[in-house]
Amino acid sequence: MADPLKTLVDGVEVEVPNTIPDIRAALPKDRRAEFDRDINAAGIDEIHAVMRHWMLEAVPDPDAEARLARLASDEAERRGTS
């Protein structure tokens, strides 16, 4: 079993999924089919690069919800609907 990896996202330590099942589980449901296609199509020389790409996409962003709310608020203000 792979040891958990950790990284900093906006100064907050987060775990990085580093197995195929963990990466898949960490992805939004609408991205999992594309992940499955990429992983299943990767050859021996490509699998590490494919996994690294998807690992980074699956890293949780502790500020994502606040950032999305701020963007929605800014858009509503810009449209004059706030």
Side-chain angles (χ1 to χ4, degrees):
M1 181 160 243
D3 291 330
L5 301 176
K6 296 184 187 257
T7 192
L8 293 177
V9 176
D10 293 331
V12 176
E13 187 176 76
V14 295
E15 285 195 14
V16 179
N18 64 342
T19 66
I20 289 172
D22 288 346
I23 294 168
R24 188 178 194 287
L27 291 168
K29 288 182 182 184
D30 64 338
R31 300 287 287 148
R32 292 177 184 168
E34 184 179 355
F35 169 76
D36 291 342
R37 281 191 300 273
D38 286 356
I39 285 296
N40 290 325
I44 191 74
D45 295 331
E46 305 163 319
I47 192 71
H48 291 164
V50 171
M51 285 187 67
R52 278 191 299 274
H53 165 81
W54 285 99
M55 283 170 68
L56 293 175
E57 191 159 323
V59 170
D61 181 349
D63 294 327
E65 286 192 36
R67 191 174 301 118
L68 289 173
R70 191 170 48 250
L71 288 170
S73 174
D74 291 349
E75 179 65 14
E77 185 176 317
R78 185 181 70 77
R79 292 177 182 240
T81 59
S82 58

